[in-house]
């Protein structure tokens, strides 16, 4: 069964609402994607200043097993946390894969780029006896990629590593590449962490149909095209001006610090942990898919919007 772009977009768009799981990853869809993705160039996943939360989020993809997602759908050939190989052999393989597929592979970057001291506060390995800072790795691999997918708030907009006072001069991958005059297209998949559907859906779209339609912050509209506030189950309380004053009280959470009115994502329909929950259901939206997080959204539990 081949899958058309229209069918793919429909699956991505409807994921989570009724099925209480990650709709993108149903076995039937995987089979179709697997067929469509066969022979596609590899995906290389590198990690800079981060907490591995986005990788953990991806590993939370339950339908089907994560192995199928990584191997069959997104042809993941290098991932420092997940792969069994380690040390020089693994690192050499990364460079070899990039050289062999120059101009064709997709580069996923998780984590911000720390630029202070020639990038030496974030080292990734050694090549020919010399340390390789994440800055150099990102430049080299970024230049040779067909496209870069920045995954998570840190890789997209700098996130927590770049929060004030930003001691390591960290920044997002798009800005870093731009500063170094590297023109490879960058797709931003923000979130702290990014939802597994956003990661798999974006990479699968790039592999099979090219770069998805992006908003002005470089995010796929497919996943980030709606305002949390406009779709929140508490929206009617907001209209009635019925505001919760403490957690557990019925009402809209804007007085408790909810940043839903200025945050774009489809968390509201996709849910987390196989659609068991999402931030606003038990707490508040902290604005983690937006540029400027966390500084522009802090303190989280204080009303700054609405
Ligand atoms: Fe929902 Fe937050 Fe908007 Fe209230 S402010 S309606 S809790 S998104």
């Amino acid at each position: 069964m081949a899958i058309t772009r229209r069918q793919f977009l429909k699956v991505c768009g409807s994921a989570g609402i009724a099925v209480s799981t990650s709709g993108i990853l149903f076995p039937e869809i995987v089979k179709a994607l697997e067929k469509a993705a066969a022979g596609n160039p590899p995906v290389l996943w590198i990690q800079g200043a981060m907490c591995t939360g986005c990788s953990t989020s991806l590993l939370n993809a339950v339908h089907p097993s994560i192995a199928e997602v990584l191997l069959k759908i997104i042809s993941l050939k290098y991932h420092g946390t997940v792969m069994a190989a380690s040390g020089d052999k693994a690192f050499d393989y990364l460079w070899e894969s990039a050289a062999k597929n120059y101009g064709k592979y997709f580069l996923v970057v998780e984590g911000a780029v720390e630029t202070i001291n020639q990038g030496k506060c974030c080292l990734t390995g050694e090549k020919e006896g010399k340390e390789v800072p994440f800055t150099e790795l990102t430049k080299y691999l970024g230049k040779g990629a067909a496209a870069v997918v920045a995954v998570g708030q840190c890789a997209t907009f700098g996130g927590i590593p770049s929060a004030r006072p930003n001691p390591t001069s960290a920044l997002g991958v798009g800005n870093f590449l731009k500063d170094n005059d590297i023109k490879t297209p960058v797709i931003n998949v923000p979130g702290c962490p990014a939802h597994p559907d956003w990661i798999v859906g974006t990479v699968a779209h790039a592999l099979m149909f090219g770069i998805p339609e992006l908003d002005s912050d470089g995010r796929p509209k497919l996943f980030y095209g709606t305002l949390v506030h406009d779709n929140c189950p508490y929206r009617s309380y907001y209209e009635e001006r019925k505001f919760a004053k403490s957690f557990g009280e019925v009402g809209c959470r804007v007085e408790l610090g909810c940043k839903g009115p200025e945050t774009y994502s489809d968390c509201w329909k996709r849910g987390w942990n196989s659609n068991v929950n999402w931030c606003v259901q038990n707490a508040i939206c902290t604005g983690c898919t937006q540029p400027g997080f966390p500084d522009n959204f802090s303190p989280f539990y204080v009303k700054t919007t609405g």
Side-chain angles (χ1 to χ4, degrees), residues 227-239 243 251-255 257-261 278 280 283-285 305-306:
L227 195 61
V228 170
H229 184 58
D230 285 347
N231 299 282
C232 177
Y234 300 114
R235 180 60 190 254
S236 58
Y237 293 124
Y238 179 89
E239 299 304 333
F243 301 125
C252 158
R253 277 102 195 274
V254 74
E255 301 275 337
C258 185
K259 311 297 188 287
W278 67 295
V280 176
I284 54 161
C285 170
T305 188

Side-chain angles (χ1 to χ4, degrees), residues 75 105 130 153 215 266-267 276 304:
S75 331
Y105 63 87
K130 277 193 182 156
Q153 167 62 227
D215 70 8
D266 66 4
C267 304
V276 167
T304 55

Side-chain angles (χ1 to χ4, degrees), residues 49 112-117 121 154 157-172 175 179 293-295:
V113 189
E114 296 179 307
T115 59
I116 205 163
N117 293 340
C121 53
C154 302
F157 306 127
I160 288 171
S162 73
R164 282 191 292 272
N166 194 359
T168 58
S169 301
L171 74 169
N175 283 339
D179 289 351
F293 174 93
D295 288 345

Side-chain angles (χ1 to χ4, degrees), residues 246-268:
S246 64
F247 290 106
E249 247 180 58
V250 175
C252 158
R253 277 102 195 274
V254 74
E255 301 275 337
L256 297 170
C258 185
K259 311 297 188 287
E262 48 196 311
T263 302
Y264 285 85
S265 83
D266 66 4
C267 304
W268 52 274

